[in-house]
């Protein structure tokens, strides 16, 4: 059964509401002082002129620090703008996964169901920005781009892969470095089989 653009928009609106609200709600339940507030503090420090590695130590890459500083700059330094960071990442991941499932031929109800599962299981377990999650999310998006590049042979997907892997690596080196190795092996195999340079 074909999905109309009106039906697709309805699915996307429902998924957007679920993914955003579930993450926003669960992000305020329970606090792990070291993990939960790590990027609240570093985002605030960057907003006040500090730099990672120079003025304070970070155990992961600086991408989330700068991203959170941007959220604080736009929405103010408060808990809601901190949760907004995690909720928007959760929303984007959910919508991209829904489109991925649809593009690869999964039925409407299954695409919707699996996307709801992604929205509930991906970022709400932490709710706030967390380097392991963000690195995994951007690595997953690079794999989705790789599969789209192989299927549709569009250059934009090939260009997005290193950008997403770079962001994932500078969120946290693990698991992005493993995905980079996985990608390079598959990229060279694909190039060899297709005889493309």
């Amino acid at each position: 059964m074909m999905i109309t653009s009106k039906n697709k928009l309805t699915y996307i609106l429902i998924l957007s509401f679920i993914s955003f609200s579930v993450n926003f709600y669960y992000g305020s339940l329970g606090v792990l002082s070291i993990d939960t507030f790590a990027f609240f503090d570093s985002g605030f420090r960057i907003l006040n002129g500090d730099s990672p590695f120079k003025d304070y130590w970070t155990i992961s890459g600086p991408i989330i620090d700068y991203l959170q500083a941007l959220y604080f700059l736009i929405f103010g330094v408060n808990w809601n703008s901190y949760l907004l960071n995690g909720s928007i990442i959760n929303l984007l991941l959910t919508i991209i996964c829904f489109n991925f499932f649809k593009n690869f031929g999964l039925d409407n109800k299954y695409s919707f169901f699996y996307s709801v599962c992604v929205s509930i299981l991906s970022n709400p377990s932490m709710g706030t920005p967390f380097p392991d999650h963000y690195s995994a999310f951007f690595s997953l998006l690079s794999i989705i781009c790789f599969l789209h590049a192989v299927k549709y042979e569009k250059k934009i997907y090939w260009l997005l892969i290193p950008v997403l892997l770079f962001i994932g690596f500078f969120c946290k080196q693990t698991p992005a470095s493993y995905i980079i190795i996985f990608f390079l092996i598959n990229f060279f195999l694909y190039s060899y089989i297709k005889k493309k340079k």
Side-chain angles (χ1 to χ4, degrees):
M1 182 172 130
M2 287 290 293
I3 184 168
T4 65
S5 58
K6 185 178 178 181
N7 286 343
K8 186 175 181 179
L9 181 63
T10 304
Y11 282 124
I12 287 174
L13 288 174
I14 293 169
L15 286 170
S16 298
F17 175 76
I18 292 170
S19 60
F20 186 89
S21 58
V22 165
N23 189 84
F24 205 84
Y25 174 76
Y26 282 103
S28 291
L29 295 181
V31 173
L32 304 168
S33 57
I34 294 174
D35 290 335
T36 304
F37 293 104
F39 297 101
F40 193 98
D41 179 53
S42 60
F44 182 70
R45 290 186 73 165
I46 287 174
L47 206 58
N48 289 322
D50 288 350
S51 297
F53 305 113
K54 179 183 161 211
D55 298 314
Y56 66 91
W57 179 250
T58 179
I59 58 167
S60 59
I63 294 280
I64 302 175
D65 300 338
Y66 283 104
L67 182 62
Q68 189 55 51
L70 180 65
Y71 274 92
F72 283 157
L73 182 67
I74 296 170
F75 301 105
V77 180
N78 57 59
W79 184 252
N80 286 337
S81 64
Y82 192 53
L83 289 177
L84 194 61
N85 186 342
S87 298
I88 288 176
I89 289 288
N90 198 47
L91 184 147
L92 290 173
L93 183 69
T94 302
I95 300 306
I96 290 170
C97 284
F98 175 74
N99 285 318
F100 171 73
F101 296 144
K102 288 302 306 157
N103 289 339
F104 279 78
L106 206 57
D107 189 36
N108 297 338
K109 61 186 175 193
Y110 293 120
S111 296
F112 180 75
F113 173 74
Y114 291 134
S115 299
V116 168
C117 291
V118 166
S119 74
I120 293 170
L121 297 173
S122 57
N123 206 45
S125 61
M126 196 63 192
T128 58
F130 196 64
D132 300 79
H133 288 168
Y134 278 39
S135 181
F137 298 157
F138 284 106
S139 298
L140 175 63
L141 293 178
S142 70
I143 293 171
I144 288 172
C145 278
F146 177 71
L147 294 173
H148 274 88
V150 169
K151 182 174 182 178
Y152 298 112
E153 296 187 6
K154 290 188 179 177
K155 291 181 182 175
I156 186 67
Y157 295 119
W158 292 111
L159 293 173
L160 283 173
I161 293 167
V163 172
L164 292 168
L165 288 172
F166 176 85
I167 294 170
F169 186 82
F170 282 102
C171 286
K172 190 168 185 185
Q173 292 68 44
T174 331
S177 54
Y178 300 127
I179 300 300
I180 290 170
I181 294 168
F182 166 79
F183 169 75
L184 288 173
I185 292 168
N186 283 284
F187 174 73
F188 287 119
L189 282 173
Y190 174 77
S191 297
Y192 176 75
I193 292 168
K194 291 287 189 175
K195 307 279 191 266
K196 290 185 178 182
K197 294 182 183 179

